[in-house]
Each structure stands twice: as structure tokens, then as C-alpha cells.
Amino acid sequence: MKFTNEDVQEILQLLDATKYDELHLETGRFKLTLRRNRGGGDWTQETQVLSAPNIVNSPAGAPVAVNVGATSTAHSTTPGDLRKAGWLEVRAHLPGTFYRAPKPGAPPFVEIGGRVEEETVVGIIETMKLMNAVHAQTRGEVVEICFENAQFVEKDAVLIRIKPVAA
Amino acid sequence: MTLRRILIANRGEIAVRVIRTCQRLGIETVLAASEADLDSMGARLADRTICIGPANSSASYLNIEAVVTAAVTTKADAIHPGYGFLSENPKLAEACNHAGVIFIGPTVDQLDAVGDKLKARGHAGAAGLAGVPGGEVRSLDEAHRLATEIGWPILIKAVGGGGGRGMKQVHEAANLAAAMEMAMAEAQASFGDPRLYIERYISHGRHIEVQILGDGEEVIHLGTRDCSIQRRYQKLVEEAPAPNISETLREEMHRAAVAFARHLKYRGLGTVELLVDCDRDTFYFLEMNARIQVEHPVTEVICGLDLVEEQIAIAEGRKLRWKQHDITFFGHAIECRINAEDWTQDFRPSPGTVRRAIFPAGQGIRVDTHIQAGTTVPPYYDSLLGKLIVHGADRAEALHKLRRDLSNLEIPGVATNLAMHAELMHNAEFARGGVNTAFLQRFLENRNIEAA
């Protein structure tokens, strides 16, 4: 027996005829809260499926170890001396897959030693199927690229370091 | 044969949606999930969940071998592909045939016929349904000639697929060469097929589609949906039936869509997308989608059918259970797609963790979602959190209810486009009904001007 939207509708019809403004129901499998808004009489619901997933072994045996978290540790070891040297960091404004080139097979946007302007695109982050350009935001020379192409990056991860160059 | 166990090769709200129908029908469910979705609502609801690979969809949800192997391993009778991912991929249907698993969808040939946009145009033409004036272009010269013939502005499109990729608007001959080059690169990258075609660009067009259902011989329609509220070719609001069109035009659209599907001897659930030229009060064939669509609930609530149940019945080899005259429509339905995107920041995606998920409840309200308190919205997939579908006796009532229901919906933890829907539902032009595909952009721009 599963709990359905029709069940919620029937409970609501019962509740509508009462003076109660709230119903809280919890079983091993789900949690349901129905609340009547003050004044309006509109109801809201919050449901939560509590039953644990029943995961069967995939053909190759146990699920493969998660490899998407293979983010470089480069950004977590930001050495103070780099900052002192005046290098600037380009960080990920979103979590996602970092691409160094506009499309597979194409040359990378930037290489170490390359010169960039504020508006230069230095990479792309794919988040939720959308491609988001990453701009250098500073004028200078690329001194470090912290991720490989197509690696997953967390939000605020340092992607690239740039040594500023005066105009 | 009666299906006893179905593997659902999808995620998000549609996985939950398919599982619920299977449960009601007493069919066992196996969810094929990526590592990122092993703890999802779908995984909690399914009888069993099998991991088909890492989070990245090219290694999991787009991996034909992994999906078919999962079905065989779990002894599923059939695969329901949902929408997106592999849902319209003839290679999955073919692999299913080889593995002795039923593919819940049309035949390999039909997927092939509608997946290639030029072939689909050809079939539509043969069935008496004209495409937007245009055709294939193999060179810049050919494109110039054809554009001059059909008139500027034009739209460049990819033969290999839709979704806005490879699509470019060109207003004058001077920009044609550069646009063709970009479109070709995008088409190659997205679909592995650089072929292009061009169409007349219709500036006052409405996107209206007809839901059809066929059993390989008979075809019926389940009415129209208006999907003109789009941003970058992504739909945000849909309604059924399409408002403010003459009944003559509506009947013509129904007839044309059914004729096209009959011509293909179509088997399964499908959607014929049409572009209605408001200036000329006529319509053209755009493309056919050979799967269940995100916006299918608006059709379900006005005609009282469960379209996933119909898909399953047809996959079982049954004849259509309904004749056209059995299908009746009641009232009007509107759907808002709730996305994890910050609409104040140019719709920037907003992955994260949902703290709570509070939805309106009551008569005429339907919420299709996979979101609950604690759900992680991963950055790997699209941003759809759920859909609010409201049903009223007429459009005005549906709109009125929707305004209230949107104010009773809260998803703290991620940025959403809820406030955009609330503003949109109060917009006078939208309230009159029948806006065209250029409306939303104008609505967003005017809003920015007011805010500035």
C-alpha cells in the first residue's frame, strides 16, 4: 500500500470540515504535514518519503567508487606566499564541470604563460546543462592552471592563478 | 504481454511520476540511477534501485549498454525512458529489441523518422502538413538562394536535433556566413551531425502542440497545449487547451497532427509541435517529439487520462482503449515549471540542498516533484525542481487559483524562479491569453527597465 495524492485530497476534505489547522502524520515510510494558512483557508503540504532506497548490486558488482569528487587539492593548499607574490586567483562562481576548451578537440582557452585581459574567457563551467563562461577578471599572465579538462569543481575552487601585469 | 516489472531509466520528477503510475497498476519498479541519485525520492519510492554509473550523465543516463544491462540483470520486462536523455534514441530502442526487453515508446523506424528533422519535415509534407517554408542547405550559396526565396529574416536549424542547439536567427545576408559556421560547429558538437536547414523566421509565432496517441494503426488526439512562454527555447509555462484560437483552426491542427501520426503508423505517445503564424492565421509543422513530455500533466488533468498508463498499455501490445469521441475535455489547466535558477541573476543555475519543500494542497492542485526537505539538487543535471499544475473550470479560474497557489509554495535552500511565475501570472497581457514566443523576453526586459 502506497500513499497517494488522492489520499491527501481525501484527508483534506475531512480536515476542511473540522476546526483543526494542522495535521502531522508520521510512519516508518513517510511523514506528512498539512497546514491551514491563517485567514485564507488554503492548505499547504510537506511530505517526506522516509523509506530507505533498496539498492541492488549492479552487474559489475558493487557500485563503482564515486570518482566525481576528484577535485584537485590545489585550491585547499593556497600558500600564503603566492598571495604575497601578488598572484590573483580566478575562482569558480558555480559548482560544475570545468572545461578548458570551447569544445572537444579544440585548443584550450589559455595555457600557462599566456596573456589575458579582464574579459578573456579562461574556461567554461557546465552547471545544470548550462555553459557558463569564466572570465579572467584581471590583466596578466597565466601562471597556474589548477584543474584538468572536464574535472568537477566545487563552488569557489581556484581554477587559475594569474600574475598581474601593468598595462 | 502484461508488463510485471519496469525499469525506469531516468531521474527527477519524471522518475517519481512513472513510479507512481506503476505502483497504482501493481507493476514492480526498478530505478536505474546514477551515483548522484541513489538517495533520491525516486530511489526511495522504487521497489529496487540499480546504479548505472557515475554522476556524469554521459557515463550513466546516456549509457545505452549500462541501461540495457541493468534491465536484463534485474529481469525487467520493459524500459520506460522518461524524457530527455535516451528517450528518443533509436539505438536504445534497437538495443532493447536485441536484449528482448520492451522499449516503452515508438518503433526504431519511427524514432529515426522523427529524430532527423529533415526526414520529419518530409513525412509531414507527405501527410499534407506543411513545414515552415525552408529546406536543407548544403552550402553558403544554397543558403543565400533559399533565404532570398523565402524572405528574411531566417532561422538556421540543426538537422540532427532540437532544443535550441545549433539554432541561429539571421536578419540579413551579411551575417549569414558567420551564423552558418557557428551553427554548423554547434550542431556537430551537440549531435555529431553538422547538417543544417533554414526556415523562415516567424516573429509573431505561437508554439502550440497536439498530443497524440497511437497503437500502430489507429491514432487519436488529446487536444492542444500552448507552450509559447519560453526563454532560449526552454519552456517555462504551458497550458491546455491553447487559449484564444478559433475552433476552426484548433480542429485543423488536431486533424493535421492525427494525419501525420497515421502516415507514420505511429505507435505510442507523441507530440506534434506546430508554429502558429498569428499574422496569417495559419500553422506549420515544427517537429515531433516521440516520448512523454514535461508538460503532459496539463493534458492529463483536462481529459482525465493517465498518459503513462496509456503508454504502458500500448507497450503491452494492446489496441487503443479509447475512440476519439470518448475523449472529452473539462476546464483549463496551467503548469509552471519551478527551476533551481536565480532569475534575478540572468537565470543562473542554483544547485544546493533544499531545506524544506512546502507545496499548496487541495482541489484542482497537482504537484509533480522529486523534491523534499534535505534533497540535494546536483549540478550535473537540468534545473527542474518540480511542476505546479492548476486546474480550473475555465482559464480565468485557473489563473486566479494559480496566483494563490504560487504564494503557498516555498522551497528554501536554493534560488528558484518562483517569483518570476508570480509576476507573470499577474501580467495583464499574459492574463488576456495567446501571447507569442517573443513575449517572455519582452516581459523580462521591461521588468529590468522598471527595476533600473
Side-chain angles (χ1 to χ4, degrees), chain A residues 49-63:
Chain A
V49 184
L50 299 174
S51 34
N54 176 16
I55 297 169
V56 295
N57 280 346
S58 33

Side-chain angles (χ1 to χ4, degrees), chain B residues 246-266:
Chain B
S246 72
E247 285 314 302
T248 323
L249 194 64
R250 192 189 310 277
E251 283 304 320
E252 274 177 43
M253 284 193 253
H254 290 161
R255 259 200 305 277
V258 168
F260 175 50
R262 278 222 173 94
H263 168 82
L264 293 173
K265 296 194 166 25
Y266 193 78

Side-chain angles (χ1 to χ4, degrees), chain A residues 56-64, chain B residues 50-53 65-74:
Chain A
V56 295
N57 280 346
S58 33
V64 222
Chain B
I50 184 164
C51 182
I52 51 163
E65 204 193 324
V67 168
V68 176
T69 308
V72 172
T73 311
T74 56

Side-chain angles (χ1 to χ4, degrees), chain B residues 145-164:
Chain B
R145 265 201 308 279
L146 190 55
T148 315
E149 192 185 308
I150 60 179
W152 300 91
I154 57 129
L155 203 55
I156 304 175
K157 291 182 166 184
V159 174

